[in-house]
Amino acid sequence: MKEIKIESTLYVFESIKETPEDVQKLMGNAAEARLEAYAPYSKFSVGVALLLDNGEVIIGSNQENASYPSGLCAERTAIYYKGAKYPKAKILRMAIIAGSQKNPTTTPIPPCGACRQAIAEYEVNQEFPIEIYFMGASGKVVKSDSLSNLLPLVFDKSVL
Ligand code: THU
């Protein structure tokens, strides 16, 4: 038996103002998208913005449903829209802002496990890392240089 250690590197910015200007702009797009989240059940709103290599910005927000499991997270709403509209474009960067509508959320909120799996599909196919920035409604911002930092031991097409 041998031990295997898995390491991930993340970067933490004290606030959005510490991040580069183009990241602030993309996070601004995500914050606007968050305002349109349809989250009457959880009262937890998430906004996402994707910057593509063709210069387009794709947005998404969480869309809930009275039949709870039929709802969809913001990340997958955005990434599947990208897949439908610009299938050939590469995703350079993803900005995520998330928080409760009732209490201000200052903890950076990473994408859920199912969304990480969905993002992995696109990162693996485009053979180019997706930068991911995530934050709460305010406060610290976390950056990952690639989805792979958030999902080590990925399950992808290479095993099929
Ligand atoms: N949600 C997202 O949009 N993204 C995530 O990564 C985690 C959770 C949404 C789903 C649901 O509408 C609400 O947040 C509470 O789980």
Side-chain angles (χ1 to χ4, degrees):
M1 198 269 279
K2 78 172 180 186
E3 184 179 296
I4 299 172
K5 282 213 164 65
I6 299 173
E7 248 186 34
S8 282
T9 304
L10 300 172
Y11 304 92
V12 181
F13 297 84
E14 280 311 303
S15 87
I16 188 68
K17 290 197 184 101
E18 245 189 47
T19 63
E21 246 175 55
D22 49 347
V23 171
Q24 293 183 35
K25 202 169 156 215
L26 195 68
M27 195 58 91
N29 297 138
E32 264 177 44
R34 181 172 172 244
L35 297 175
E36 304 302 337
Y38 176 63
Y41 305 108
S42 72
K43 308 246 187 284
F44 190 86
S45 306
V46 185
V48 167
L50 306 176
L51 175 67
L52 309 185
D53 67 350
N54 62 9
E56 294 290 335
V57 171
I58 297 287
I59 54 127
S61 58
N62 50 329
Q63 300 294 321
E64 298 186 349
N65 193 281
S67 171
Y68 293 0
S70 300
L72 195 65
C73 291
E75 293 86 338
R76 275 174 288 165
T77 303
I79 210 154
Y80 293 151
Y81 180 42
K82 178 266 161 207
K85 183 135 202 234
Y86 299 112
K88 294 202 177 85
K90 291 189 168 129
I91 303 163
L92 302 180
R93 182 177 291 143
M94 177 178 231
I96 306 167
I97 180 163
S100 161
Q101 295 164 6
K102 294 172 280 185
N103 317 301
T105 306
T106 53
T107 316
I109 308 290
C112 77
C115 287
R116 292 179 205 196
Q117 183 66 34
I119 299 164
E121 185 77 17
Y122 289 79
E123 183 169 278
V124 168
N125 282 346
Q126 72 179 28
E127 297 178 333
F128 192 82
I130 302 174
E131 267 187 4
I132 302 179
Y133 286 82
F134 56 91
M135 64 182 295
S138 64
K140 290 184 167 53
V141 180
V142 176
K143 176 194 181 196
S144 171
D145 283 335
S146 159
L147 186 272
S148 59
N149 287 310
L150 302 179
L151 189 63
L153 303 183
V154 68
F155 179 91
D156 66 19
K157 63 186 181 186
S158 66
V159 300
L160 297 177

